[in-house]
Amino acid sequence: MTDRYALFGNPVGHSKSPRIHTLFAKQTGQDLSYEAILAPDDGFAAAVTAFVANGKGPARGANVTVPFKEEAFRLATKLTSRAEAAGAVNTLSFDAGAVIGDNTDGAGLVRDLKTNLGCDPAGRRILLLGAGGAARGVILPLLLENPAELLIANRTEETAARLALEFGRLPGCAVAVKPDGTGFPGLAGRSFDLVINATSAGLDNAVLPLPTSVFAPRCVAYEMVYGRETAFMAQARTAGARVADGLGMLVEQAAEAFFVWRGVRPHTAPVLAALKSAS
Ligand code: NDP
């Protein structure tokens, strides 16, 4: 019997996850199927229950995307520590009645930075733009890499301040650096070695009010949105930064989920190359 996996989201039509996981399965010789399921806004839990109950093979796991990551967090009967810290779940595993919630977004970003882009967060001054679900998912993994500094800047300053406070006092977490939070005006005169855009501004090409000074010489600018040149990428290029989009993070978070489910780590480079050549 073929093990079954799915992605739940709304919308999901554009998703590259079925292609990514099918390529991983082929490469590693794993017998599994992976489909994208469009869940109604008020029907996430019911869609997951139906997926688990119906189908030819056993349902083993699922990925979760916008807008259901917080709901998946509440649906899980057990949480990994990184999902707990993120307050959001993008990976579910179904195991003898238990629903285990995990979050692989942060691991995906860190792996893309270190392995694919040669940009080790250790010792870098990091600016994280945004304080939504994507930002929450990457803060702890970034802090665990021992950056020199982590500043969270958000349009709504209070949300950034609240996140910084929350992640500054995570119990049981031996992180050397405490994050700080600010609004965009607080960036005046500041410089960073790694600037990560975790806002959704790129989706409607809104320009972030960033002073050019934020991009230090040899800065890496990382845009989590992928598949388009955003205003942030253009700003960073003009300032002389090295620019990357979020396609690598997408593939790496998928590889981490695949590892969680199957215990096998796929090679991501050929999959990333296949996606790039198709776009
Ligand atoms: P949320 O809706 O949870 O958060 C959106 C964030 O963007 C908030 O901080 C919001 O600020 C800010 N924002 C939105 N519009 C603007 C604007 N015009 N100017 C300034 N700030 C703005 O979204 P997520 O955190 O879930 O996702 C953020 C982005 O990350 C999405 O584009 C998503 O596609 C991408 N992503 C990519 C992944 C990948 O694998 N590559 C994985 C996960 C996410 P405020 O608080 O003021 O509203």
Side-chain angles (χ1 to χ4, degrees):
M1 293 285 259
T2 299
D3 289 345
R4 294 184 299 119
Y5 295 86
L7 167 73
F8 291 89
N10 188 342
V12 281
H14 64 289
S15 175
K16 297 183 191 300
S17 293
R19 171 115 200 266
I20 294 171
H21 282 283
T22 302
L23 288 171
F24 286 165
K26 203 169 162 196
Q27 182 200 102
T28 57
Q30 297 281 308
D31 181 19
L32 60 86
S33 67
Y34 189 107
E35 61 186 303
I37 296 177
L38 177 72
D41 279 339
D42 59 353
F44 169 69
V48 173
T49 305
F51 173 71
V52 172
N54 309 314
K56 280 205 174 115
R60 298 287 187 205
N63 284 134
V64 182
T65 187
V66 176
F68 300 124
K69 288 184 185 180
E70 282 78 19
E71 219 178 320
F73 179 85
R74 293 192 293 274
L75 184 82
T77 56
K78 280 186 207 166
L79 291 166
T80 62
S81 55
R82 57 192 181 179
E84 185 112 47
V89 157
N90 77 337
T91 301
L92 294 170
S93 302
F94 308 122
D95 183 18
V99 179
I100 302 151
D102 200 348
N103 190 311
T104 64
D105 280 340
L109 171 68
V110 168
R111 194 173 274 265
D112 190 33
L113 285 168
K114 290 171 79 168
T115 311
N116 302 331
L117 300 169
C119 173
D120 193 331
R124 292 196 190 236
R125 296 166 294 169
I126 303 178
L127 171 61
L128 179 64
L129 302 167
R136 286 193 71 94
V138 302
I139 294 172
L140 182 60
L142 285 172
L143 287 172
L144 292 171
E145 295 297 316
N146 293 318
E149 176 185 356
L150 178 64
L151 179 63
I152 305 160
N154 195 44
R155 177 174 62 182
T156 311
E157 181 171 351
E158 303 82 73
T159 322
R162 205 175 333 119
L163 263 194
L165 201 64
E166 186 185 324
F167 280 86
R169 57 175 184 220
L170 271 185
C173 263
V175 291
V177 166
K178 287 201 186 308
D180 211 348
T182 186
F184 290 126
L187 296 174
R190 308 285 307 269
S191 282
F192 300 87
D193 311 303
L194 172 58
V195 180
I196 300 166
N197 186 15
T199 76
S200 50
L203 296 179
D204 28 67
N205 226 23
V207 179
L208 298 173
L210 301 177
T212 308
S213 68
V214 297
F215 303 101
R218 292 179 297 285
C219 175
V220 171
Y222 194 98
E223 169 64 90
M224 281 197 194
V225 169
Y226 54 85
R228 63 173 84 186
E229 173 81 7
T230 66
F232 168 77
M233 293 164 84
Q235 272 170 299
R237 265 187 236 289
T238 305
R242 180 154 73 95
V243 175
D245 77 359
L247 189 64
M249 175 176 172
L250 179 78
V251 173
E252 296 297 345
Q253 64 76 28
E256 183 74 15
F258 194 91
F259 178 69
V260 166
W261 293 328
R262 311 297 300 183
V264 183
R265 194 172 283 287
H267 295 294
T268 51
V271 175
L272 193 49
L275 292 182
K276 277 184 181 159
S277 71
S279 60

